[in-house]
């Protein structure tokens, strides 16, 4: 099956899952008409619309692990788990956009930016999260790996929250302290806020479904996927500054938001005393002139070239890790498939 067919089939399942969640809300929890409309709008606005790499990875990993085409039922179940990752991501993004005061996401206004939504978006993000467990109960309750899935999701959610916490407290709105921004702090933030839920979660879900029990297999997957996740977030930081908003669907806010971005860490590493002063004066300021001054410094320091070099090195390192993998525990293809989806991405 081609990628676009896989995506088409994956998208086709979404309405069924929304209907499943609505059914529980309406028939078990007395949800009235006005809430039904609100909730279905919330889900339809926020859950689809991304690249779906995470969701599709559950399906492709499961197929690789079984080593044969999936039956209809197996495909559907893997798609449900794939959507549960997309649902989890939607929960995070609705909340993250409020915390980061972002304007747009996936080419449309952030949910909280809609005047009729505003702070209700906080509860809407919780409703998106809660829906995941309605779906899991409906389709996986009697599976032997049901508890493993629940445990995994809870663990990953907590880890992501810890990562988000560190991201936020390292970027206070009111004062700039560039000494906070170190590469080791950066690595901790991105491992927890992005890599675990975006890379380890989809693969670990497929492993549970396929009946993998060997802890060494999970550990091997974890170490490679953390590496991939770190690279992915570095790309995200790069695109925050250099991506085309029309392509990435969002407008970068990292400089204004005082974020511990990979770019500012590189800049601090390369800057002389005068250049460091420019960062001290202009980083984390909301005005456009300050943002422009920071971007001009990035240009002077040739950060685009620094990124391209990093990208090559990171790809080589990842290829090496994949080659060294003990394939008795897990096939290489799981990781080469995932890597293909993210290297040299424009969005
Ligand atoms: C996005 O990082 C962060 C997350 C998806 C995790 C949020 C976690 C919560 C517990 C709410 P980002 O802000 O760097 O990404 P983007 O540029 O897409 O906003
Ligand atoms: Mg954020
Ligand atoms: Mg954000």
């Amino acid at each position: 099956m081609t990628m676009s067919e896989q995506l088409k089939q994956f998208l086709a399942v979404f309405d069924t899952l929304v209907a499943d969640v609505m059914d529980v809300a309406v028939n078990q929890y007395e949800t009235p008409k006005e809430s039904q409309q609100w909730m279905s709008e919330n889900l339809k606005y926020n859950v689809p619309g991304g690249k779906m790499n995470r969701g599709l990875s559950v399906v492709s990993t499961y197929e690789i692990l079984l080593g044969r085409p999936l039956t209809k039922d197996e495909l559907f179940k893997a798609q449900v788990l794939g959507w549960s990752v997309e649902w989890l991501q939607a929960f995070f993004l609705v909340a993250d956009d409020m915390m980061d005061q972002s304007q747009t996401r996936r080419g449309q206004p952030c949910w909280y930016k809609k005047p009729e939504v505003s702070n209700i978006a906080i509860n809407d993000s919780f409703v998106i999260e809660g829906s995941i467990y309605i779906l899991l109960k409906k389709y996986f309750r009697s599976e032997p790996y049901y508890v493993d899935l629940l445990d995994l999701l809870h663990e990953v959610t907590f880890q992501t929250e810890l990562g988000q916490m560190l991201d936020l407290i390292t970027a206070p709105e009111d004062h700039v302290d560039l000494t906070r921004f170190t590469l080791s702090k950066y690595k901790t933030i991105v491992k927890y806020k992005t890599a675990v839920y975006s890379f380890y979660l989809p693969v670990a879900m497929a492993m549970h479904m396929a009946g993998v029990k060997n802890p060494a297999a999970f550990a091997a997957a974890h170490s490679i996927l953390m590496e991939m996740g770190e690279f992915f977030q570095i790309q995200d930081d790069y695109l925050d500054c250099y991506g085309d908003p029309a392509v990435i669907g969002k407008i970068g806010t990292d400089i204004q938001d005082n974020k511990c971005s990979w770019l500012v860490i590189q800049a601090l590493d390369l800057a002389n005393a005068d250049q460091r002063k420019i960062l001290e004066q202009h980083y984390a300021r909301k005005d456009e002139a300050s943002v422009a001054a920071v971007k001009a410094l990035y240009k002077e320091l040739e950060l685009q070239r620094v990124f391209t070099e990093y990208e090559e090195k990171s790809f080589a390192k990842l290829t090496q890790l994949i080659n060294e993998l003990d394939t008795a525990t897990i096939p290489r293809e799981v990781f080469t498939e995932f890597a293909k989806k993210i290297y040299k991405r424009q969005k």
Side-chain angles (χ1 to χ4, degrees):
M1 212 188 302
T2 66
M3 273 292 292
S4 69
E5 277 170 69
Q6 269 176 19
L7 180 61
K8 228 162 79 195
Q9 285 198 2
F10 186 71
L11 292 172
V13 171
F14 180 69
D15 287 347
T16 308
L17 301 184
V18 172
D20 288 334
V21 177
M22 299 301 296
D23 178 62
V24 171
V26 174
N27 296 315
Q28 293 183 37
Y29 305 135
E30 305 172 60
T31 301
K33 272 267 164 337
E34 64 270 31
S35 306
Q36 288 173 39
Q37 209 171 350
W38 187 277
M39 193 171 144
S40 107
E41 178 65 17
N42 171 24
L43 295 174
K44 288 179 180 167
Y45 192 89
N46 292 306
V47 179
K51 301 181 289 289
M52 309 282 167
N53 280 341
R54 296 166 181 82
L56 288 171
S57 293
V58 179
V59 181
S60 56
T61 304
Y62 185 46
E63 190 158 15
I64 294 166
L65 290 173
L66 292 192
R68 57 163 173 79
L70 304 179
T71 65
K72 244 180 133 179
D73 181 59
E74 286 166 345
L75 174 63
F76 178 73
K77 285 190 125 145
Q79 288 169 328
V80 175
L81 286 190
W83 274 112
S84 76
V85 182
E86 295 294 331
W87 239 269
L88 186 72
Q89 146 119 323
F91 153 53
F92 291 150
L93 294 181
V94 168
D96 174 75
D97 283 337
M98 297 183 80
M99 299 180 226
D100 289 349
Q101 298 174 43
S102 295
Q103 304 296 320
T104 56
R105 167 75 63 189
R106 296 168 172 172
Q108 56 182 11
C110 298
W111 180 241
Y112 85 98
K113 275 281 164 191
K114 294 173 82 67
E116 70 278 22
V117 178
S118 186
N119 282 345
I120 301 174
I122 298 172
N123 194 62
D124 288 335
S125 77
F126 300 159
V127 169
I128 298 172
E129 185 195 22
S131 310
I132 296 169
Y133 299 96
I134 304 290
L135 294 174
L136 254 63
K137 189 167 176 173
K138 170 157 183 164
Y139 293 108
F140 295 93
R141 203 195 155 99
S142 58
E143 295 293 344
Y145 53 86
Y146 181 53
V147 170
D148 293 320
L149 290 179
L150 294 179
D151 193 44
L152 176 67
L153 270 160
H154 287 137
E155 190 179 7
V156 166
T157 303
F158 186 61
Q159 289 175 307
T160 310
E161 288 160 353
L162 293 180
Q164 181 76 347
M165 177 169 67
L166 191 57
D167 172 285
L168 294 166
I169 66 177
T170 308
E173 253 185 85
D174 46 351
H175 84 282
V176 188
D177 174 3
L178 298 175
T179 62
R180 270 180 229 264
F181 299 155
T182 62
L183 193 58
S184 92
K185 173 82 71 65
Y186 180 80
K187 286 182 181 218
T188 311
I189 293 174
V190 308
K191 173 175 175 184
Y192 287 95
K193 85 163 176 180
T194 300
V196 180
Y197 94 84
S198 304
F199 291 84
Y200 180 65
L201 177 64
V203 171
M205 278 182 154
M207 290 170 79
H208 284 303
M209 250 189 126
V212 176
K213 292 273 180 267
N214 181 5
F218 285 91
H222 190 268
S223 78
I224 292 181
L225 294 163
M226 287 307 100
E227 196 63 39
M228 231 187 265
E230 183 179 300
F231 172 74
F232 180 85
Q233 185 61 42
I234 290 174
Q235 282 177 317
D236 192 74
D237 291 358
Y238 176 83
L239 293 171
D240 187 277
C241 182
Y242 297 110
D244 175 359
V247 178
I248 63 174
K250 55 190 182 185
I251 299 164
T253 52
D254 286 352
I255 294 172
Q256 295 91 314
D257 285 351
N258 197 18
K259 289 296 184 185
C260 180
S261 157
W262 186 81
L263 293 173
V264 77
I265 293 170
Q266 300 311 307
L268 287 166
D269 190 38
L270 297 168
N272 61 30
D274 288 340
Q275 289 168 325
R276 194 181 169 99
K277 272 202 199 102
I278 296 181
L279 276 178
E280 266 154 15
Q281 277 166 11
H282 295 289
Y283 203 67
R285 305 287 191 279
K286 306 271 179 207
D287 63 290
E288 279 183 33
S290 283
V291 176
V294 173
K295 288 197 176 184
L297 177 65
Y298 286 180
K299 188 162 187 195
E300 206 173 299
L301 297 171
E302 298 186 71
L303 292 193
Q304 287 191 271
R305 182 183 54 77
V306 175
F307 172 77
T308 310
E309 283 168 15
Y310 164 79
E311 185 167 36
E312 298 302 327
K313 261 197 263 160
S314 163
F315 190 70
K317 183 173 172 194
L318 196 76
T319 309
Q320 192 190 344
L321 282 178
I322 295 172
N323 286 336
E324 286 166 4
L325 184 76
D326 175 4
T327 48
T329 58
I330 186 164
R332 284 199 180 95
E333 206 190 338
V334 167
F335 308 103
T336 47
E337 271 303 297
F338 220 150
K340 261 193 263 167
K341 291 193 175 93
I342 60 162
Y343 273 85
K344 305 268 176 192
R345 71 187 172 105
Q346 300 297 316
K347 63 181 242 183

